[in-house]
Amino acid sequence: MINATSLRTICLSNFRMLATLKKARYEMRRFFSLILMVVLCSGVAIAETATVGDCTWTYKEKNGVWKIESVETTTNEIVVPATLGGKYISVICSNAFNHCYWLKSVKISVGFKTIGDSAFKECKYLERVELPQGLLAIGSFAFMGCLALKSVVIPDTVSFLGSYSFHGCTGLKELVLPDSVLEIGYGAFNLDCSLESVRLPNNLEILRPYLFMNCTSLSNVVFGSACWCVMDEVFSTCIALKKMTIPDTMEYFASGAFEYCDALEQMDFEG
C-alpha cells in the first residue's frame, strides 16, 4: 500500500523527469534552429546539375552569384558554358577541373568574371585555354602544373593574377600581360622553364617575390612604365638573361632579385 509520503515522492520524481524531457526537447529545438540559422546566413545552397553535350555540370548559387562547382566528362575538349538551367554563371569555383587531367582544350565562355584557386591545377595535358573578355581575376594555383600549355592570352579586362597561378607551366614560351593587370601574386610564373619573353603591364608597380624564379630560358624582359619595386628572387636563376633595360620609375631592387643570373652582363637605366 502506497502512503502519502511515497506518493509525493513518486509524483515529484515524475515531475522532475517530465521537466528534464521538456528541457531536452527545448535544447534540441534550439540546437536545430541554430544550425538552420548558420546554414541560411552562410549562403549554403543545394547544388544543381545540368547536362550539355558530353558534360554534366554541377553548379550552385551563393549570395546571388551562380558558380560552376565541377564537371563530369570523358571528352578532352570542352566549352565552359555561361548559362546553365537558365542561370547566368560567372565564377569557376576552386578545384572545379583539377581532377580532369585528360583535358587538352578549354574555352571559357564570355560572362565569367573569376577563375577560382586551383581551378585547372595539374591538368597536365592541357594545351590550349581561351579566356573570355570580361574576366577580372585568375586565382592562386589556377593553372599550376599545366605542363603542355604553350601560350595563353590574358584578356585586357583582367586586373589580378593570384600567387603561383601559372607556376610550373613548363611548356609556356611567350607571355604578354595587358596593362589592365594591377597585381600579380608571388611566384606566378615560377618554374616556367620554356618561357623566353615577357612584356610586363604598364600599370604593374611591384614585382613580388619569386615571380620568374627558375625561368631558365627567359632572355627578354620588358618592364612596364609604372614599375618601381623588384622584390626578393624575382629573377633568381634566370640563367639566360643577359641584358635588361630598367625604367626611370624604378626605386628599389631587393638584394637577391637577380640571384644566380650568371649571364647577366648589362643593365641600362632610362632617364
Side-chain angles (χ1 to χ4, degrees):
M1 184 173 181
I2 301 176
N3 57 34
T5 302
S6 298
L7 184 60
R8 282 197 301 272
T9 302
I10 292 171
C11 289
L12 183 59
S13 177
N14 288 338
F15 175 78
R16 288 173 175 169
M17 184 180 297
L18 183 60
T20 300
L21 289 173
K22 285 184 177 179
K23 184 179 180 181
R25 284 198 297 269
Y26 168 77
E27 292 295 339
M28 187 172 292
R29 285 197 300 270
R30 183 169 175 269
F31 172 76
F32 283 113
S33 296
L34 286 172
I35 292 295
L36 180 60
M37 184 175 66
V38 169
V39 168
L40 291 174
C41 291
S42 64
V44 174
I46 297 174
E48 300 182 25
T49 60
T51 299
V52 180
D54 296 325
C55 301
T56 298
W57 302 92
T58 300
Y59 60 104
K60 64 181 180 181
E61 179 269 338
K62 184 175 181 181
N63 299 327
V65 178
W66 285 90
K67 309 177 180 186
I68 282 181
E69 195 170 52
S70 63
V71 63
E72 294 296 330
T73 185
T74 55
T75 185
N76 59 14
E77 296 186 2
I78 64 172
V79 176
V80 185
T83 57
L84 288 169
K87 311 296 193 306
Y88 291 98
I89 317 294
S90 61
V91 175
I92 296 175
C93 286
S94 300
N95 305 302
F97 297 89
N98 72 3
H99 61 292
C100 301
Y101 60 87
W102 58 86
L103 285 178
K104 287 189 175 181
S105 175
V106 172
K107 179 181 178 181
I108 301 174
S109 300
V110 172
F112 281 90
K113 304 297 183 186
T114 303
I115 298 174
D117 296 347
S118 304
F120 295 91
K121 182 180 177 181
E122 295 180 359
C123 290
K124 59 183 179 179
Y125 297 115
L126 184 62
E127 298 174 358
R128 298 177 299 279
V129 58
E130 186 175 333
L131 303 176
Q133 278 295 123
L135 186 68
L136 302 177
I138 298 174
S140 298
F141 310 102
F143 294 93
M144 178 180 176
C146 293
L147 308 180
L149 194 61
K150 292 181 173 60
S151 66
V152 60
V153 177
I154 308 294
D156 60 11
T157 52
V158 171
S159 61
F160 174 79
L161 299 177
S163 295
Y164 301 99
S165 46
F166 291 89
H167 168 78
C169 294
T170 55
L172 192 63
K173 289 189 174 183
E174 186 177 359
L175 184 65
V176 177
L177 296 169
D179 291 339
S180 59
V181 175
L182 302 177
E183 183 175 353
I184 303 177
Y186 285 45
F189 303 99
N190 186 350
L191 207 64
D192 292 358
C193 54
S194 296
L195 188 62
E196 298 174 354
S197 177
V198 172
R199 190 191 76 81
L200 293 166
N202 280 323
N203 293 313
L204 183 66
E205 297 185 1
I206 298 174
L207 304 189
R208 300 193 182 279
Y210 324 122
L211 184 57
F212 297 104
M213 184 178 183
N214 295 314
C215 292
T216 52
S217 299
L218 186 61
S219 59
N220 182 42
V221 177
V222 178
F223 283 91
S225 58
C227 185
W228 65 270
C229 176
V230 178
M231 300 182 75
D232 290 334
E233 300 186 68
V234 167
F235 296 102
S236 177
T237 322
C238 292
I239 57 177
L241 205 55
K242 294 182 179 180
K243 180 180 177 181
M244 299 191 78
T245 300
I246 310 301
D248 56 10
T249 54
M250 192 67 66
E251 297 179 11
Y252 175 77
F253 279 104
S255 58
F258 296 95
E259 189 174 26
Y260 306 121
C261 293
D262 297 336
L264 187 59
E265 298 174 347
Q266 184 176 343
M267 296 181 72
D268 297 328
F269 291 83
E270 295 177 343

Short mmCIF file of all heavy atoms in Angstrom, two decimals, residues 119-179:
data_model
loop_
_atom_site.label_atom_id
_atom_site.label_comp_id
_atom_site.label_asym_id
_atom_site.label_seq_id
_atom_site.Cartn_x
_atom_site.Cartn_y
_atom_site.Cartn_z
N ALA A 119 41.70 25.98 -59.99
CA ALA A 119 40.60 25.54 -60.85
C ALA A 119 41.05 24.51 -61.89
O ALA A 119 40.35 23.53 -62.14
CB ALA A 119 39.97 26.74 -61.54
N PHE A 120 42.21 24.71 -62.50
CA PHE A 120 42.73 23.79 -63.52
C PHE A 120 44.08 23.22 -63.10
O PHE A 120 44.87 22.79 -63.93
CB PHE A 120 42.87 24.50 -64.87
CG PHE A 120 41.56 24.96 -65.46
CD1 PHE A 120 41.06 26.22 -65.19
CD2 PHE A 120 40.82 24.11 -66.27
CE1 PHE A 120 39.85 26.65 -65.72
CE2 PHE A 120 39.62 24.51 -66.82
CZ PHE A 120 39.13 25.78 -66.54
N LYS A 121 44.33 23.20 -61.84
CA LYS A 121 45.62 22.75 -61.32
C LYS A 121 45.96 21.34 -61.79
O LYS A 121 45.14 20.43 -61.72
CB LYS A 121 45.61 22.80 -59.80
CG LYS A 121 46.92 22.40 -59.14
CD LYS A 121 46.78 22.47 -57.62
CE LYS A 121 48.07 22.01 -56.93
NZ LYS A 121 47.92 22.05 -55.46
N GLU A 122 47.19 21.20 -62.33
CA GLU A 122 47.74 19.91 -62.74
C GLU A 122 46.91 19.21 -63.82
O GLU A 122 46.86 17.98 -63.88
CB GLU A 122 47.94 19.00 -61.52
CG GLU A 122 49.00 19.56 -60.58
CD GLU A 122 49.25 18.73 -59.35
OE1 GLU A 122 48.59 17.69 -59.20
OE2 GLU A 122 50.09 19.14 -58.54
N CYS A 123 46.25 20.02 -64.68
CA CYS A 123 45.69 19.46 -65.92
C CYS A 123 46.86 19.36 -66.89
O CYS A 123 47.06 20.21 -67.76
CB CYS A 123 44.59 20.36 -66.46
SG CYS A 123 43.09 20.37 -65.46
N LYS A 124 47.66 18.34 -66.72
CA LYS A 124 48.99 18.29 -67.33
C LYS A 124 48.99 18.12 -68.84
O LYS A 124 50.02 18.34 -69.49
CB LYS A 124 49.83 17.20 -66.67
CG LYS A 124 49.25 15.79 -66.77
CD LYS A 124 50.13 14.81 -66.01
CE LYS A 124 49.57 13.40 -66.06
NZ LYS A 124 50.44 12.45 -65.34
N TYR A 125 47.85 17.74 -69.43
CA TYR A 125 47.77 17.61 -70.89
C TYR A 125 47.08 18.81 -71.54
O TYR A 125 46.88 18.82 -72.75
CB TYR A 125 47.05 16.32 -71.27
CG TYR A 125 47.78 15.08 -70.80
CD1 TYR A 125 47.22 14.23 -69.85
CD2 TYR A 125 49.05 14.76 -71.28
CE1 TYR A 125 47.89 13.10 -69.40
CE2 TYR A 125 49.73 13.63 -70.85
CZ TYR A 125 49.15 12.82 -69.91
OH TYR A 125 49.82 11.71 -69.46
N LEU A 126 46.72 19.81 -70.76
CA LEU A 126 46.02 20.98 -71.29
C LEU A 126 46.96 21.80 -72.17
O LEU A 126 47.96 22.34 -71.69
CB LEU A 126 45.49 21.83 -70.13
CG LEU A 126 44.64 23.05 -70.50
CD1 LEU A 126 43.38 22.64 -71.23
CD2 LEU A 126 44.29 23.86 -69.25
N GLU A 127 46.61 21.90 -73.46
CA GLU A 127 47.45 22.60 -74.43
C GLU A 127 46.94 24.00 -74.75
O GLU A 127 47.72 24.91 -75.01
CB GLU A 127 47.53 21.80 -75.73
CG GLU A 127 48.17 20.43 -75.58
CD GLU A 127 48.09 19.62 -76.86
OE1 GLU A 127 47.50 20.13 -77.85
OE2 GLU A 127 48.60 18.49 -76.89
N ARG A 128 45.61 24.15 -74.74
CA ARG A 128 45.01 25.42 -75.15
C ARG A 128 43.94 25.83 -74.15
O ARG A 128 43.11 25.02 -73.74
CB ARG A 128 44.36 25.30 -76.54
CG ARG A 128 45.34 24.95 -77.65
CD ARG A 128 44.63 24.77 -78.97
NE ARG A 128 43.64 23.68 -78.92
CZ ARG A 128 43.94 22.40 -79.05
NH1 ARG A 128 45.20 22.03 -79.22
NH2 ARG A 128 42.99 21.49 -79.00
N VAL A 129 43.96 27.10 -73.78
CA VAL A 129 42.89 27.65 -72.95
C VAL A 129 42.54 29.03 -73.49
O VAL A 129 43.41 29.85 -73.74
CB VAL A 129 43.29 27.72 -71.46
CG1 VAL A 129 44.54 28.57 -71.25
CG2 VAL A 129 42.14 28.24 -70.62
N GLU A 130 41.26 29.23 -73.75
CA GLU A 130 40.77 30.51 -74.27
C GLU A 130 40.01 31.22 -73.16
O GLU A 130 38.96 30.75 -72.70
CB GLU A 130 39.86 30.28 -75.48
CG GLU A 130 39.43 31.58 -76.15
CD GLU A 130 38.64 31.34 -77.43
OE1 GLU A 130 38.85 30.29 -78.07
OE2 GLU A 130 37.81 32.21 -77.77
N LEU A 131 40.57 32.34 -72.72
CA LEU A 131 39.97 33.11 -71.64
C LEU A 131 39.08 34.21 -72.22
O LEU A 131 39.44 34.83 -73.23
CB LEU A 131 41.07 33.72 -70.76
CG LEU A 131 42.05 32.72 -70.14
CD1 LEU A 131 43.15 33.46 -69.38
CD2 LEU A 131 41.33 31.74 -69.23
N PRO A 132 37.95 34.50 -71.59
CA PRO A 132 36.98 35.43 -72.19
C PRO A 132 37.25 36.90 -71.85
O PRO A 132 37.79 37.23 -70.79
CB PRO A 132 35.66 35.00 -71.54
CG PRO A 132 36.07 34.52 -70.18
CD PRO A 132 37.42 33.87 -70.37
N GLN A 133 36.84 37.77 -72.75
CA GLN A 133 36.77 39.19 -72.42
C GLN A 133 35.78 39.37 -71.28
O GLN A 133 34.74 38.70 -71.23
CB GLN A 133 36.31 39.99 -73.63
CG GLN A 133 37.41 40.31 -74.63
CD GLN A 133 38.47 41.22 -74.06
OE1 GLN A 133 39.65 40.88 -74.05
NE2 GLN A 133 38.09 42.38 -73.59
N GLY A 134 36.10 40.25 -70.37
CA GLY A 134 35.26 40.48 -69.20
C GLY A 134 35.75 39.77 -67.96
O GLY A 134 35.31 40.07 -66.85
N LEU A 135 36.69 38.82 -68.15
CA LEU A 135 37.29 38.14 -67.00
C LEU A 135 38.07 39.15 -66.17
O LEU A 135 38.81 39.98 -66.70
CB LEU A 135 38.22 37.03 -67.47
CG LEU A 135 38.82 36.11 -66.40
CD1 LEU A 135 37.74 35.25 -65.76
CD2 LEU A 135 39.91 35.23 -67.01
N LEU A 136 37.91 39.07 -64.83
CA LEU A 136 38.55 40.04 -63.94
C LEU A 136 39.71 39.48 -63.14
O LEU A 136 40.69 40.18 -62.88
CB LEU A 136 37.51 40.63 -62.97
CG LEU A 136 36.31 41.33 -63.59
CD1 LEU A 136 35.34 41.78 -62.51
CD2 LEU A 136 36.75 42.52 -64.44
N ALA A 137 39.61 38.22 -62.72
CA ALA A 137 40.61 37.68 -61.80
C ALA A 137 40.87 36.20 -62.07
O ALA A 137 39.95 35.44 -62.38
CB ALA A 137 40.15 37.86 -60.35
N ILE A 138 42.15 35.82 -61.92
CA ILE A 138 42.59 34.43 -62.02
C ILE A 138 43.20 34.07 -60.68
O ILE A 138 44.16 34.70 -60.23
CB ILE A 138 43.59 34.23 -63.17
CG1 ILE A 138 42.93 34.59 -64.51
CG2 ILE A 138 44.13 32.80 -63.19
CD1 ILE A 138 43.89 34.57 -65.69
N GLY A 139 42.66 33.06 -60.01
CA GLY A 139 43.04 32.75 -58.64
C GLY A 139 44.40 32.08 -58.51
O GLY A 139 45.03 31.68 -59.49
N SER A 140 44.85 31.94 -57.27
CA SER A 140 46.12 31.30 -56.97
C SER A 140 46.10 29.83 -57.42
O SER A 140 45.08 29.15 -57.28
CB SER A 140 46.41 31.37 -55.47
OG SER A 140 46.51 32.71 -55.04
N PHE A 141 47.22 29.38 -57.97
CA PHE A 141 47.40 27.99 -58.42
C PHE A 141 46.42 27.59 -59.53
O PHE A 141 46.27 26.40 -59.82
CB PHE A 141 47.24 27.00 -57.25
CG PHE A 141 48.04 27.34 -56.03
CD1 PHE A 141 47.45 27.92 -54.93
CD2 PHE A 141 49.40 27.08 -55.98
CE1 PHE A 141 48.19 28.24 -53.80
CE2 PHE A 141 50.16 27.39 -54.87
CZ PHE A 141 49.55 27.97 -53.77
N ALA A 142 45.75 28.55 -60.17
CA ALA A 142 44.66 28.24 -61.11
C ALA A 142 45.11 27.31 -62.23
O ALA A 142 44.39 26.37 -62.59
CB ALA A 142 44.09 29.53 -61.69
N PHE A 143 46.30 27.55 -62.81
CA PHE A 143 46.80 26.72 -63.91
C PHE A 143 48.15 26.08 -63.54
O PHE A 143 48.91 25.68 -64.42
CB PHE A 143 46.95 27.55 -65.18
CG PHE A 143 45.62 28.03 -65.74
CD1 PHE A 143 45.12 29.28 -65.40
CD2 PHE A 143 44.87 27.23 -66.57
CE1 PHE A 143 43.90 29.73 -65.89
CE2 PHE A 143 43.65 27.65 -67.08
CZ PHE A 143 43.17 28.91 -66.74
N MET A 144 48.41 25.98 -62.28
CA MET A 144 49.68 25.40 -61.82
C MET A 144 49.85 23.97 -62.34
O MET A 144 48.93 23.16 -62.31
CB MET A 144 49.70 25.38 -60.29
CG MET A 144 50.94 24.76 -59.69
SD MET A 144 50.85 24.81 -57.87
CE MET A 144 52.34 23.93 -57.44
N GLY A 145 51.03 23.69 -62.88
CA GLY A 145 51.33 22.33 -63.32
C GLY A 145 50.68 21.93 -64.63
O GLY A 145 50.63 20.74 -64.95
N CYS A 146 50.21 22.91 -65.42
CA CYS A 146 49.67 22.61 -66.76
C CYS A 146 50.86 22.53 -67.72
O CYS A 146 51.19 23.50 -68.41
CB CYS A 146 48.67 23.67 -67.19
SG CYS A 146 47.15 23.68 -66.20
N LEU A 147 51.48 21.38 -67.74
CA LEU A 147 52.78 21.21 -68.39
C LEU A 147 52.75 21.43 -69.89
O LEU A 147 53.74 21.85 -70.49
CB LEU A 147 53.31 19.80 -68.10
CG LEU A 147 53.37 19.34 -66.64
CD1 LEU A 147 53.91 17.93 -66.55
CD2 LEU A 147 54.22 20.30 -65.82
N ALA A 148 51.61 21.13 -70.54
CA ALA A 148 51.53 21.19 -72.00
C ALA A 148 51.09 22.55 -72.52
O ALA A 148 51.08 22.77 -73.74
CB ALA A 148 50.58 20.11 -72.52
N LEU A 149 50.74 23.46 -71.64
CA LEU A 149 50.25 24.77 -72.05
C LEU A 149 51.39 25.59 -72.67
O LEU A 149 52.38 25.87 -72.02
CB LEU A 149 49.68 25.50 -70.83
CG LEU A 149 48.82 26.75 -71.08
CD1 LEU A 149 47.59 26.40 -71.90
CD2 LEU A 149 48.41 27.38 -69.75
N LYS A 150 51.21 25.96 -73.97
CA LYS A 150 52.30 26.62 -74.69
C LYS A 150 52.15 28.13 -74.75
O LYS A 150 53.13 28.86 -74.83
CB LYS A 150 52.41 26.04 -76.10
CG LYS A 150 52.89 24.59 -76.14
CD LYS A 150 53.00 24.10 -77.57
CE LYS A 150 53.65 22.72 -77.62
NZ LYS A 150 52.90 21.71 -76.88
N SER A 151 50.92 28.62 -74.77
CA SER A 151 50.70 30.06 -74.80
C SER A 151 49.36 30.36 -74.15
O SER A 151 48.47 29.52 -74.09
CB SER A 151 50.71 30.59 -76.24
OG SER A 151 49.61 30.08 -76.97
N VAL A 152 49.25 31.56 -73.64
CA VAL A 152 48.00 32.00 -73.03
C VAL A 152 47.86 33.50 -73.26
O VAL A 152 48.82 34.25 -73.14
CB VAL A 152 47.94 31.65 -71.53
CG1 VAL A 152 49.08 32.32 -70.77
CG2 VAL A 152 46.60 32.01 -70.94
N VAL A 153 46.67 33.90 -73.68
CA VAL A 153 46.38 35.32 -73.88
C VAL A 153 45.51 35.78 -72.72
O VAL A 153 44.39 35.30 -72.55
CB VAL A 153 45.66 35.56 -75.22
CG1 VAL A 153 45.30 37.04 -75.36
CG2 VAL A 153 46.53 35.10 -76.38
N ILE A 154 46.04 36.69 -71.93
CA ILE A 154 45.30 37.24 -70.80
C ILE A 154 44.45 38.39 -71.32
O ILE A 154 44.99 39.36 -71.86
CB ILE A 154 46.25 37.74 -69.70
CG1 ILE A 154 47.28 36.66 -69.30
CG2 ILE A 154 45.46 38.23 -68.49
CD1 ILE A 154 46.69 35.45 -68.65
N PRO A 155 43.12 38.33 -71.17
CA PRO A 155 42.27 39.42 -71.66
C PRO A 155 42.60 40.75 -71.00
O PRO A 155 43.06 40.80 -69.86
CB PRO A 155 40.85 38.96 -71.28
CG PRO A 155 40.96 37.49 -71.09
CD PRO A 155 42.34 37.23 -70.57
N ASP A 156 42.32 41.84 -71.71
CA ASP A 156 42.67 43.17 -71.19
C ASP A 156 41.65 43.70 -70.19
O ASP A 156 41.58 44.91 -69.93
CB ASP A 156 42.88 44.16 -72.33
CG ASP A 156 41.63 44.34 -73.20
OD1 ASP A 156 40.55 43.86 -72.81
OD2 ASP A 156 41.75 44.97 -74.28
N THR A 157 40.86 42.78 -69.61
CA THR A 157 39.96 43.13 -68.51
C THR A 157 40.46 42.57 -67.18
O THR A 157 39.95 42.94 -66.12
CB THR A 157 38.55 42.58 -68.78
OG1 THR A 157 38.64 41.18 -69.10
CG2 THR A 157 37.91 43.31 -69.94
N VAL A 158 41.45 41.68 -67.23
CA VAL A 158 41.97 41.04 -66.02
C VAL A 158 42.83 42.03 -65.24
O VAL A 158 43.72 42.67 -65.79
CB VAL A 158 42.80 39.78 -66.36
CG1 VAL A 158 43.52 39.24 -65.14
CG2 VAL A 158 41.90 38.71 -66.96
N SER A 159 42.55 42.13 -63.94
CA SER A 159 43.34 43.04 -63.09
C SER A 159 44.18 42.30 -62.05
O SER A 159 45.10 42.88 -61.48
CB SER A 159 42.43 44.04 -62.38
OG SER A 159 41.51 43.36 -61.53
N PHE A 160 43.88 41.01 -61.83
CA PHE A 160 44.56 40.28 -60.74
C PHE A 160 44.92 38.86 -61.17
O PHE A 160 44.09 38.13 -61.71
CB PHE A 160 43.64 40.21 -59.52
CG PHE A 160 44.19 39.37 -58.39
CD1 PHE A 160 45.16 39.87 -57.54
CD2 PHE A 160 43.74 38.08 -58.20
CE1 PHE A 160 45.67 39.08 -56.51
CE2 PHE A 160 44.24 37.29 -57.17
CZ PHE A 160 45.20 37.80 -56.33
N LEU A 161 46.19 38.50 -60.94
CA LEU A 161 46.67 37.12 -61.10
C LEU A 161 47.16 36.65 -59.73
O LEU A 161 48.03 37.28 -59.14
CB LEU A 161 47.81 37.04 -62.12
CG LEU A 161 47.51 37.47 -63.55
CD1 LEU A 161 48.78 37.38 -64.39
CD2 LEU A 161 46.43 36.59 -64.17
N GLY A 162 46.62 35.54 -59.24
CA GLY A 162 46.98 35.06 -57.91
C GLY A 162 48.35 34.42 -57.85
O GLY A 162 48.99 34.13 -58.87
N SER A 163 48.80 34.18 -56.64
CA SER A 163 50.12 33.56 -56.43
C SER A 163 50.18 32.19 -57.09
O SER A 163 49.23 31.40 -57.01
CB SER A 163 50.39 33.42 -54.93
OG SER A 163 50.48 34.68 -54.31
N TYR A 164 51.31 31.92 -57.75
CA TYR A 164 51.58 30.63 -58.39
C TYR A 164 50.50 30.23 -59.39
O TYR A 164 50.26 29.05 -59.64
CB TYR A 164 51.76 29.53 -57.32
CG TYR A 164 52.88 29.85 -56.36
CD1 TYR A 164 52.64 30.39 -55.10
CD2 TYR A 164 54.21 29.63 -56.72
CE1 TYR A 164 53.67 30.72 -54.24
CE2 TYR A 164 55.26 29.94 -55.87
CZ TYR A 164 54.97 30.48 -54.62
OH TYR A 164 56.01 30.80 -53.77
N SER A 165 49.84 31.22 -59.99
CA SER A 165 48.72 30.94 -60.90
C SER A 165 49.15 30.16 -62.14
O SER A 165 48.37 29.35 -62.66
CB SER A 165 48.02 32.24 -61.31
OG SER A 165 48.95 33.23 -61.68
N PHE A 166 50.38 30.37 -62.62
CA PHE A 166 50.89 29.63 -63.78
C PHE A 166 52.22 28.94 -63.43
O PHE A 166 53.03 28.68 -64.30
CB PHE A 166 51.08 30.56 -64.98
CG PHE A 166 49.78 31.05 -65.57
CD1 PHE A 166 49.19 32.22 -65.10
CD2 PHE A 166 49.13 30.34 -66.58
CE1 PHE A 166 47.99 32.68 -65.62
CE2 PHE A 166 47.93 30.79 -67.11
CZ PHE A 166 47.36 31.97 -66.63
N HIS A 167 52.41 28.66 -62.18
CA HIS A 167 53.64 28.02 -61.71
C HIS A 167 53.81 26.63 -62.36
O HIS A 167 52.87 25.85 -62.43
CB HIS A 167 53.58 27.86 -60.19
CG HIS A 167 54.64 26.97 -59.62
ND1 HIS A 167 55.94 27.39 -59.43
CD2 HIS A 167 54.60 25.68 -59.20
CE1 HIS A 167 56.64 26.40 -58.91
NE2 HIS A 167 55.85 25.35 -58.76
N GLY A 168 55.01 26.37 -62.82
CA GLY A 168 55.31 25.04 -63.35
C GLY A 168 54.67 24.74 -64.69
O GLY A 168 54.53 23.57 -65.05
N CYS A 169 54.28 25.77 -65.44
CA CYS A 169 53.78 25.55 -66.81
C CYS A 169 55.01 25.49 -67.71
O CYS A 169 55.38 26.47 -68.37
CB CYS A 169 52.85 26.68 -67.22
SG CYS A 169 51.30 26.73 -66.29
N THR A 170 55.63 24.34 -67.73
CA THR A 170 56.97 24.20 -68.33
C THR A 170 56.98 24.33 -69.85
O THR A 170 58.04 24.48 -70.44
CB THR A 170 57.59 22.86 -67.92
OG1 THR A 170 56.69 21.80 -68.28
CG2 THR A 170 57.83 22.81 -66.41
N GLY A 171 55.80 24.27 -70.51
CA GLY A 171 55.74 24.43 -71.96
C GLY A 171 55.46 25.85 -72.41
O GLY A 171 55.55 26.16 -73.59
N LEU A 172 55.15 26.76 -71.48
CA LEU A 172 54.78 28.13 -71.81
C LEU A 172 56.01 28.89 -72.32
O LEU A 172 57.02 28.99 -71.63
CB LEU A 172 54.21 28.82 -70.56
CG LEU A 172 53.51 30.16 -70.75
CD1 LEU A 172 52.28 30.00 -71.63
CD2 LEU A 172 53.12 30.74 -69.39
N LYS A 173 55.90 29.46 -73.55
CA LYS A 173 57.06 30.09 -74.18
C LYS A 173 57.00 31.61 -74.23
O LYS A 173 58.02 32.28 -74.15
CB LYS A 173 57.23 29.56 -75.61
CG LYS A 173 57.71 28.11 -75.67
CD LYS A 173 58.08 27.72 -77.09
CE LYS A 173 58.68 26.32 -77.12
NZ LYS A 173 59.10 25.94 -78.48
N GLU A 174 55.80 32.14 -74.40
CA GLU A 174 55.67 33.59 -74.56
C GLU A 174 54.53 34.11 -73.71
O GLU A 174 53.50 33.46 -73.58
CB GLU A 174 55.44 33.95 -76.03
CG GLU A 174 55.44 35.43 -76.31
CD GLU A 174 55.28 35.76 -77.78
OE1 GLU A 174 55.18 34.82 -78.59
OE2 GLU A 174 55.24 36.96 -78.10
N LEU A 175 54.71 35.29 -73.16
CA LEU A 175 53.72 35.85 -72.25
C LEU A 175 53.59 37.35 -72.48
O LEU A 175 54.57 38.08 -72.40
CB LEU A 175 54.14 35.58 -70.80
CG LEU A 175 53.17 36.02 -69.71
CD1 LEU A 175 51.88 35.23 -69.78
CD2 LEU A 175 53.81 35.82 -68.34
N VAL A 176 52.37 37.77 -72.81
CA VAL A 176 52.06 39.19 -72.92
C VAL A 176 50.97 39.49 -71.91
O VAL A 176 49.88 38.92 -71.97
CB VAL A 176 51.60 39.57 -74.34
CG1 VAL A 176 51.20 41.05 -74.39
CG2 VAL A 176 52.68 39.28 -75.35
N LEU A 177 51.27 40.37 -70.98
CA LEU A 177 50.32 40.73 -69.93
C LEU A 177 49.74 42.11 -70.23
O LEU A 177 50.49 43.07 -70.42
CB LEU A 177 51.01 40.73 -68.57
CG LEU A 177 51.55 39.37 -68.11
CD1 LEU A 177 52.46 39.53 -66.91
CD2 LEU A 177 50.40 38.43 -67.79
N PRO A 178 48.41 42.24 -70.27
CA PRO A 178 47.80 43.52 -70.62
C PRO A 178 47.98 44.57 -69.52
O PRO A 178 48.22 44.24 -68.36
CB PRO A 178 46.32 43.17 -70.80
CG PRO A 178 46.12 41.99 -69.91
CD PRO A 178 47.39 41.20 -69.98
N ASP A 179 47.83 45.82 -69.91
CA ASP A 179 48.03 46.91 -68.96
C ASP A 179 46.94 46.97 -67.89
O ASP A 179 47.07 47.70 -66.91
CB ASP A 179 48.09 48.25 -69.71
CG ASP A 179 49.35 48.38 -70.54
OD1 ASP A 179 50.32 47.66 -70.24
OD2 ASP A 179 49.36 49.18 -71.49
#
